Amino acid sequence: MYNYIRRKSTECHVGDITIGGENPIRVQSMTNTNTNDVEASVAQIERIVDAGADIVRLTAQGKKEALALKEIEAGIHRDGYNVPLVADIHFNASVADVAAEVVEKVRINPGNYVDPGRTFVKLEFTDEEYAQEIEKIRKRFIPFLNICKAHHTAIRLGVNHGSLSDRIMSRYGDTPAGMVESCMEFLRICVEQEFSDVVISIKASNTSVMVRTVRLLVQEMDKEGMHFPLHLGVTEAGDAEDGRIKSAVGIGALLADGIGDTIRVSLSEDPEAEIPVACQLVHYFEERAMHKRLDGPNVGLNLYNPIEPQRFKSARVGKLGDGQPVCVCGSTKFGADVNIAGMMNYSLDELNTDDSIFEYLIEHPQTPVIARANNHNPVGAWRAFLFGIRQMGCVNPVIISRDYSFCKTWEEVQLCAAADFGVMLIDQLVDGIIINQVNFPTEKLVELAFNILQASRARFTKTEYISCPSCGRTLFDLKTTLARIKEATKDLKGLKIGVMGCIVNGPGEMADADYGYVGAGPGLVSLYKGKQCVQKGIPAEEAVQRLLDFIRADQESC
């Protein structure tokens, strides 16, 4: 809760790399080349490794692509590279069998490994029918595990919010509990078969869902004596500043609690651009191990539930507190919601040593307080203060603040601030935030604060783009298309627009978007409203304009 300690996990061996245990947090990415294009894939893998990646993943839609992985591996070895390769499999368990004989690790998706693709149709399963479906998984999954044992191949169980099976949906709905159970069904078989080289990922484009679900998975694994290592990532994070902030919010919220053994920052950019971002996040949390010990109160679920967080109660003072939207604070001259001139502004060192301050706060509940974190573990320090005053009965609105003048670049400020403030916003603990940095304009810092609020799902102030990072399955130029859509929709406010390369996660993640643009086939695109397909098989050259026309017409009719 207060002190940074890495979660104890078992080790997973992936070629010459070990994930989990006492090993460093590993960084990885995924190619977006056609896997059948061996030389292009080899060249991109080498660029990713040169950028600092420990592991590289490639898509394998069919057996042809799975076999091409052998040539790709030979190509990188020829050039002196020895990075472990991972095959990414969806919808075709037999391809996973082939890939397990070729590469060091195979990723399968529990949502479509045996179960058919999600149809979004409400299905009902009796207990007997449900048990029969689990047995079907066992019969298909155990032979795969035997192949992996024979070839010393690791596996990743990769659950995505957008691709839960209809069977899981029928019992649990589109919930964290459903995502966790989708994973646990497979993990129980791994334990039964004494197969331990397993890594787990549970991803979503919604950072709050992603964080709460991973926490729930850890809790459920602990109950059953499992301690498998975890792969962290925010899927469909987007590109540029938005993609970096969203990734740092979700990944950082878990790393702050010592959860996570390997990470991938999924950006709609060239994959090698993901690696410096991931490395910066890892480095920021490695430094956290140096923090001074922090003490805080024992906290019960009535005050804080990490799986289902509830907004802390505080008094209403203008725009602050009482369940109102979290504010960006500072100077209203530079675009902040609330001017902080004259407010009580304390470093957490002062707040944790001077009891008279707490007495004053209890007597003056209408006094907002700014809590500045200056140490290596701001999340732990903020929590110790907040839980302490709430247990004492203080209801003063709390604004948390941190100075990032130790950051040398703007990207470093973005990532560190998003990682720190994001978890406090996801857990709904604060009423306002302030980001300080002496080398960048105040207006820019205020804009960053608003962007972190949006990435944390605390407050929406602009259009959000749910965009996949692209891979060998992508059916159009995603990077260029996303740029065109963002430019054309930049004046729209408060919408969520999905731009997805293929149908694996596309329709599922569309359920969290207002409108969607999804690759449907070579040169073809389908448009969605929510999870409903409204126009199918549109030529790609017409699709962006058709999406804009549909959004305008739909908004006008509302």
Side-chain angles (χ1 to χ4, degrees):
M1 184 65 73
Y2 307 116
N3 295 287
Y4 177 73
I5 302 169
R6 285 277 302 277
R7 166 182 170 264
K8 299 297 183 184
S9 62
T10 54
E11 291 187 338
C12 174
H13 302 93
V14 186
D16 293 334
I17 295 288
T18 304
I19 299 172
E22 300 295 327
N23 293 283
I25 296 170
R26 305 299 187 180
V27 170
Q28 55 184 281
S29 183
M30 183 176 185
T31 62
N32 60 14
T33 52
N34 184 328
T35 308
N36 290 313
D37 189 338
V38 172
E39 289 307 314
S41 298
V42 167
Q44 189 173 75
I45 290 168
E46 293 174 0
R47 291 195 298 273
I48 294 170
V49 175
D50 288 341
D54 300 302
I55 300 168
V56 180
R57 180 161 48 113
L58 304 91
T59 187
Q61 304 97 306
K63 292 182 180 179
K64 183 180 179 183
E65 287 83 2
L67 292 171
L69 295 172
K70 193 167 188 177
E71 297 180 58
I72 292 168
E73 189 162 62
I76 63 171
H77 290 168
R78 173 200 66 206
D79 295 341
Y81 290 78
N82 193 35
V83 63
L85 300 184
V86 184
D88 192 69
I89 311 295
H90 293 274
F91 300 117
N92 197 333
S94 62
V95 176
D97 294 346
V98 175
E101 298 184 8
V102 176
V103 292
E104 289 88 349
K105 182 177 169 189
V106 176
R107 179 272 174 106
I108 62 170
N109 185 337
N112 57 38
Y113 178 71
V114 171
D115 289 305
R118 186 167 163 185
T119 63
F120 303 99
V121 174
K122 177 65 176 174
L123 300 177
E124 299 291 341
F125 290 81
T126 66
D127 289 346
E128 183 180 359
E129 290 169 336
Y130 201 94
Q132 289 172 352
E133 293 300 309
I134 298 295
E135 184 59 28
K136 189 187 298 182
I137 291 173
R138 283 177 49 79
K139 289 181 177 178
R140 188 63 193 83
F141 188 49
I142 290 173
F144 169 66
L145 291 181
N146 289 334
I147 295 171
C148 291
K149 287 179 182 178
H151 291 83
H152 305 288
T153 305
I155 67 170
R156 169 152 74 98
L157 295 175
V159 179
N160 278 5
H161 191 209
S163 57
L164 295 180
S165 68
D166 287 332
R167 178 179 58 78
I168 287 289
M169 290 287 290
S170 74
R171 188 64 58 94
Y172 297 92
D174 203 358
T175 63
M179 297 169 72
V180 168
E181 182 59 23
S182 181
C183 181
M184 293 297 289
E185 290 176 348
F186 283 73
L187 284 181
R188 292 181 188 116
I189 299 171
C190 291
V191 171
E192 171 201 300
Q193 297 297 311
E194 298 182 342
F195 186 89
S196 60
D197 279 329
V198 181
V199 177
I200 309 156
S201 67
I202 290 195
K203 297 186 180 183
S205 64
N206 181 320
T207 53
S208 177
V209 169
M210 173 255 192
V211 170
R212 290 186 290 117
T213 305
V214 173
R215 287 171 174 171
L216 179 61
L217 173 66
V218 171
Q219 179 179 294
E220 293 304 307
M221 282 201 297
D222 284 346
K223 286 179 183 177
E224 300 193 26
M226 302 177 189
H227 307 286
F228 294 106
L230 290 163
H231 168 128
L232 305 183
V234 178
T235 190
E236 287 87 43
D239 68 346
E241 179 169 308
D242 288 342
R244 284 159 174 76
I245 291 171
K246 196 171 184 181
S247 294
V249 164
I251 295 171
L254 293 163
L255 291 179
D257 285 336
I259 296 172
D261 302 283
T262 178
I263 69 172
R264 188 230 173 154
V265 173
S266 299
L267 300 176
S268 300
E269 302 178 19
D270 294 334
E272 53 266 39
E274 299 176 352
I275 304 304
V277 182
C279 289
Q280 178 60 53
L281 280 173
V282 170
H283 176 68
Y284 188 47
F285 284 95
E286 284 176 341
E287 290 185 329
R288 195 149 300 192
M290 299 184 293
H291 78 83
K292 293 180 181 178
R293 179 172 173 78
L294 296 163
D295 293 315
N298 292 325
V299 176
L301 291 177
N302 61 319
L303 184 64
Y304 170 66
N305 184 341
I307 309 302
E308 297 180 0
Q310 301 294 320
R311 181 75 179 269
F312 259 19
K313 292 181 180 179
S314 55
R316 180 181 290 249
V317 182
K319 292 182 179 181
L320 290 167
D322 194 28
Q324 297 182 93
V326 179
C327 290
V328 173
C329 303
S331 171
T332 52
K333 181 175 72 171
F334 296 110
D337 298 306
V338 174
N339 201 318
I340 62 170
M343 286 189 186
M344 297 177 68
N345 190 332
Y346 295 105
S347 76
L348 288 174
D349 291 335
E350 296 172 292
L351 287 166
N352 290 327
T353 57
D354 189 346
D355 290 340
S356 65
I357 296 173
F358 297 108
E359 294 171 7
Y360 181 87
L361 293 177
I362 291 172
E363 293 172 1
H364 300 83
Q366 296 293 315
T367 301
V369 59
I370 301 169
R372 300 194 315 272
N374 303 318
N375 71 359
H376 279 295
N377 187 4
V379 173
W382 283 326
R383 283 174 172 166
F385 169 68
L386 280 157
F387 294 144
I389 66 167
R390 295 314 184 207
Q391 280 199 342
M392 293 170 60
C394 293
V395 293
N396 307 70
V398 173
I399 300 161
I400 57 174
S401 169
R402 184 161 170 80
D403 190 322
Y404 291 91
S405 295
F406 59 85
C407 295
K408 297 180 177 63
T409 66
W410 178 241
E411 183 172 281
E412 194 177 346
V413 175
Q414 291 173 341
L415 297 176
C416 295
D420 291 335
F421 287 99
V423 63
M424 305 300 291
L425 294 167
I426 287 172
D427 286 345
Q428 303 182 55
L429 299 176
V430 299
D431 301 296
I433 66 173
I434 302 171
I435 302 173
N436 293 313
Q437 217 283 355
V438 296
N439 298 316
F440 295 100
T442 303
E443 299 97 319
K444 198 168 185 177
L445 296 168
V446 167
E447 181 184 6
L448 172 59
F450 278 115
N451 288 340
I452 293 172
L453 289 179
Q454 176 138 340
S456 307
R457 298 300 177 109
R459 182 176 171 190
F460 288 91
T461 53
K462 63 180 185 179
T463 295
E464 178 177 356
Y465 299 93
I466 300 170
S467 172
C468 71
S470 182
C471 70
R473 295 184 300 268
T474 302
L475 297 165
F476 55 85
D477 184 339
L478 192 140
K479 187 176 176 181
T480 302
T481 301
L482 176 60
R484 290 173 59 202
I485 291 174
K486 290 179 77 169
E487 176 62 28
T489 58
K490 63 184 179 183
D491 295 327
L492 300 176
K493 303 296 181 185
L495 293 180
K496 295 194 285 290
I497 299 175
V499 184
M500 311 298 291
C502 71
I503 63 169
V504 171
N505 297 321
E509 299 297 350
M510 288 304 103
D512 194 43
D514 299 298
Y515 303 99
Y517 180 110
V518 182
L524 298 175
V525 171
S526 292
L527 303 182
Y528 285 72
K529 180 179 180 180
K531 61 185 180 183
Q532 179 183 359
C533 184
V534 292
Q535 296 183 31
K536 294 182 179 180
I538 303 166
E541 59 270 18
E542 303 174 16
V544 173
Q545 187 58 50
R546 295 272 285 274
L547 173 66
L548 297 178
D549 292 344
F550 177 74
I551 291 174
R552 290 194 189 102
D554 191 57
Q555 291 290 298
E556 289 171 2
S557 67
C558 293

